[in-house]
Amino acid sequence: MDMERVNARGLVLLGCGKMGSALLAGWLARGLKHQTVTVLDPNPSDWLQAQGIRVNGPVPARPAVVVLAVKPQMMGEALPLLAPLGQTDALILSVAAGTTLARFETVFGPQAVLVRAMPNTPAAVGRGITAIVGNARAGEADLALAESLLSAVGEVVRLQSESQMDAVTGLSGSGPAYVFHLIEAMAAAGEAQGLAPDLAMRLARATVCGAGELAHQTPETSAAQLRINVTSPGGTTAAGLSVLMDPKSGFPDLLRRAVAAATERGRELGQ
């Protein structure tokens, strides 16, 4: 992050719920000065006060960054307060799902420097992944600053166009819920085979978390190869995979339909 620039001119954070708090904690850990931050939130947490963060105070006239982290349904009331900042060279970074760059331009103006981001909930533990895309006014330096800010809570990828954002929402944005449901389903399947509920859930949680960490620590190995590595021909894993990889009723078709449904809903909400 260009911390010198941000510390010199300030950062405004609109909304400090779970995502906003995770981002702010990451920035502070990376050297953002507490006194340069202004948080606007109708229900500020005790944590903010304990950190000595300015809450609901005057907004700097020319901050380096404005981060929009409120829910989309709260945008209409909150954004007009910050609209004048669109006339400055501040980077306006949105992590609000479903709100397009075009909508932000109607508030901040076409001259505003805008970057739209789609993080996911593992950002709360520093293991998220965020996709970003900028408007026509956002240059390489602006995208690099946005990437640096968001890397405080995990990985960051750049999209070629905003049209890809709904697919990102359907895959990685909604994806953590799919994984949590997988844990539920695995535990229920273990119970069906005679395991006690607590034991089945413990086994399912640890298995999913451990497999995810193995994939995380070996990025050079494809997911397909990781699967092959733990599958002995004719063994128990192969028997289970024969069901899960069935082209008509297995994971591939089921997840294609799930991601497609979430993607389409994202398009509808963005209208």
Side-chain angles (χ1 to χ4, degrees):
M1 188 196 308
D2 186 354
M3 196 63 71
E4 184 176 345
R5 173 188 169 192
V6 178
N7 280 330
R9 292 175 47 185
L11 180 147
V12 177
L13 176 59
L14 177 62
C16 198
K18 291 182 179 179
M19 185 60 67
S21 296
L23 287 166
L24 181 54
W27 300 333
L28 294 173
R30 291 187 172 199
L32 181 65
K33 294 181 180 178
H34 297 61
Q35 63 269 28
T36 65
V37 181
T38 302
V39 171
L40 304 177
D41 193 295
N43 300 296
S45 67
D46 293 338
W47 176 77
L48 285 173
Q49 296 179 352
Q51 294 294 316
I53 301 294
R54 182 190 306 114
V55 178
N56 297 328
V59 174
R62 190 171 167 265
V65 182
V66 178
V67 180
L68 309 176
V70 293
K71 294 183 182 301
Q73 57 267 33
M74 298 174 63
M75 286 285 186
E77 179 180 348
L79 288 189
L81 301 174
L82 299 176
L85 297 180
Q87 305 294 323
T88 72
D89 64 345
L91 167 64
I92 300 173
L93 172 62
S94 169
V95 297
T99 306
T100 64
L101 291 169
R103 284 193 181 185
F104 287 123
E105 287 182 346
T106 64
V107 175
F108 292 100
Q111 74 292 327
V113 179
L114 295 163
V115 172
R116 180 182 172 191
M118 180 68 232
N120 61 3
T121 53
V125 292
R127 287 287 298 275
I129 187 163
T130 303
I132 64 172
V133 65
N135 70 345
R137 290 299 302 274
E140 172 58 32
D142 302 304
L143 289 169
L145 177 56
E147 189 171 335
S148 181
L149 286 165
L150 293 162
S151 68
V153 292
E155 297 181 52
V156 182
V157 297
R158 298 189 189 186
L159 302 183
Q160 294 178 330
S161 70
E162 190 178 14
S163 63
Q164 296 176 302
M165 193 62 83
D166 292 319
V168 169
T169 302
L171 178 58
S172 61
S174 299
Y178 309 158
V179 176
F180 300 147
H181 186 51
L182 172 63
I183 294 173
E184 286 183 285
M186 287 178 64
E191 284 186 58
Q193 295 303 312
L195 296 175
D198 288 351
L199 176 58
M201 179 57 72
R202 184 176 179 183
L203 289 166
R205 274 179 177 263
T207 299
V208 171
C209 292
E213 186 62 24
L214 181 59
H216 176 69
Q217 292 193 22
T218 54
E220 72 285 350
T221 306
S222 69
Q225 188 59 52
L226 289 172
R227 169 180 54 79
I228 292 169
N229 290 348
V230 296
T231 306
S232 300
T236 58
T237 305
L241 286 173
S242 68
V243 176
L244 294 177
M245 297 178 71
D246 185 284
K248 293 184 178 179
S249 61
F251 270 177
D253 179 66
L254 189 63
L255 286 174
R256 270 193 298 268
R257 290 189 286 120
V259 172
T263 300
E264 181 57 32
R265 183 55 178 157
R267 292 194 184 103
E268 292 172 355
L269 292 173
Q271 297 302 315

